Amino acid sequence: MKEILKLQYSYLFNKVSAWFLFLMISIATVGIVYASGFTSLYGELDIDRTTRLINYQMESYLLVKFILVVISIFLSIQGYYSQFTKYHLFFLQKEKGKVLLGIAKQTAIMVVLSMMFIHSVIVIHLSGFYLTPYFQFEIDFFIALISLYIEAMILGLIGSISIQIIDSIFSGLIPLVLFWVTEANATYEEINQSSWLKTLYAIVSNAIIYQNKFVLLYDIIHYGLVFLFLWFLNLLIFIWKDIK
């Protein structure tokens, strides 16, 4: 299993992928620091702390979400598009090789995303605490950040499932469209007035701002279960699907 994981990491971190991930994490870091408003005078930042805190949380949240979703979909394409995975045939010669490969593949993607997520959360809090007078730890925002990570994983899994079924690199557009729809309809009133939006939000853990607070339509455990369901579904499809 260790050897398979090493193979996955070396594959995910090829030269192109490494530069892409470095670019994404650099954009996230610079964007978060800039969103803190550190270039303004300290006295200016001390005025209307509540509004500045909400703006900083929103800007950093949306930036990190977009980057994590893009990375998740990128890794899904890298990991499951048939034209990029010819080495899979080697594992058919081993007992349980395909099962171990499927688990290792999803584990590797989760680890890479987790590293990006943890880095972003640390930067958000360090920038807030050390560069601004208004930042404070809020459990609602922290839960929203966790839901952001789960959302990126869910959309990545939807992308992985789509790619395996359709076998087209353009399958990555499906989770991007879902991401765009949730962002374009991210108000409490719109969601409550639409049954299909409620259904979509039952799958995608997109936190929304309601009365100046980050809220989820369902609790974090619900979205954790959605993630687990898609994780096992993706694995089963990978195991049952013929390798090309």
Side-chain angles (χ1 to χ4, degrees):
M1 186 65 176
K2 289 183 179 179
E3 290 73 17
I4 302 177
L5 274 172
K6 288 180 181 178
L7 174 64
Q8 290 300 312
Y9 289 134
S10 63
Y11 179 73
L12 289 176
F13 283 105
N14 60 48
K15 186 177 291 186
V16 174
S17 299
W19 276 109
F20 175 77
L21 294 173
F22 175 76
L23 176 63
M24 290 293 101
I25 201 167
S26 298
I27 292 173
T29 303
V30 173
I32 291 168
V33 173
Y34 183 77
S36 69
F38 77 102
T39 54
S40 302
L41 295 175
Y42 204 79
E44 293 179 8
L45 295 177
D46 203 24
I47 301 173
D48 198 1
R49 291 189 173 196
T50 301
T51 300
R52 289 189 178 275
L53 175 60
I54 293 173
N55 289 339
Y56 174 58
Q57 289 176 336
M58 277 295 298
E59 290 177 18
S60 57
Y61 175 85
L62 291 174
L63 175 63
V64 173
K65 179 196 289 188
F66 175 75
I67 287 176
L68 282 185
V69 168
V70 169
I71 291 174
S72 184
I73 295 171
F74 172 80
L75 294 176
S76 297
I77 294 173
Q78 282 280 96
Y80 290 95
Y81 183 43
S82 61
Q83 299 303 311
F84 298 156
T85 54
K86 298 299 184 183
Y87 68 92
H88 286 178
L89 295 171
F90 170 77
F91 292 92
L92 292 179
Q93 304 170 16
K94 298 184 177 183
E95 185 180 359
K96 298 182 180 179
K98 202 173 181 184
V99 176
L100 294 176
L101 176 62
I103 294 173
K105 187 182 294 290
Q106 295 187 167
T107 301
I109 292 174
M110 285 179 61
V111 169
V112 174
L113 265 185
S114 297
M115 291 168 59
M116 298 292 179
F117 170 71
I118 292 171
H119 171 83
S120 299
V121 171
I122 291 174
V123 173
I124 287 172
H125 285 81
L126 287 181
S127 298
F129 282 123
Y130 289 100
L131 298 179
T132 77
Y134 58 76
F135 188 79
Q136 58 185 2
F137 178 82
E138 291 186 350
I139 189 64
D140 292 335
F141 179 57
F142 187 72
I143 292 174
L145 290 174
I146 295 174
S147 75
L148 177 157
Y149 169 74
I150 296 175
E151 178 181 358
M153 285 300 307
I154 287 174
L155 290 173
L157 286 169
I158 291 173
S160 299
I161 292 169
S162 302
I163 290 168
Q164 291 189 85
I165 294 174
I166 303 174
D167 194 28
S168 168
I169 197 169
F170 296 106
S171 303
L173 293 174
I174 295 175
L176 278 178
V177 169
L178 293 177
F179 171 73
W180 177 81
V181 170
T182 56
E183 288 302 313
N185 299 276
T187 66
Y188 192 79
E189 292 75 15
E190 286 178 315
I191 297 168
N192 274 333
Q193 292 172 4
S194 172
S195 57
W196 74 269
L197 275 177
K198 285 183 180 178
T199 302
L200 179 58
Y201 269 81
I203 300 171
V204 181
S205 56
N206 186 41
I208 60 175
I209 290 287
Y210 182 65
Q211 296 181 347
N212 292 333
K213 292 288 184 181
F214 282 89
V215 297
L216 292 167
L217 262 67
Y218 300 86
D219 61 40
I220 203 75
I221 296 175
H222 168 89
Y223 292 113
L225 293 174
V226 172
F227 162 73
L228 287 175
F229 171 77
L230 291 174
W231 194 93
F232 282 107
L233 177 61
N234 185 52
L235 179 62
L236 288 174
I237 292 174
F238 180 76
I239 293 171
W240 291 336
K241 186 176 182 291
D242 291 332
I243 291 180
K244 296 182 179 181

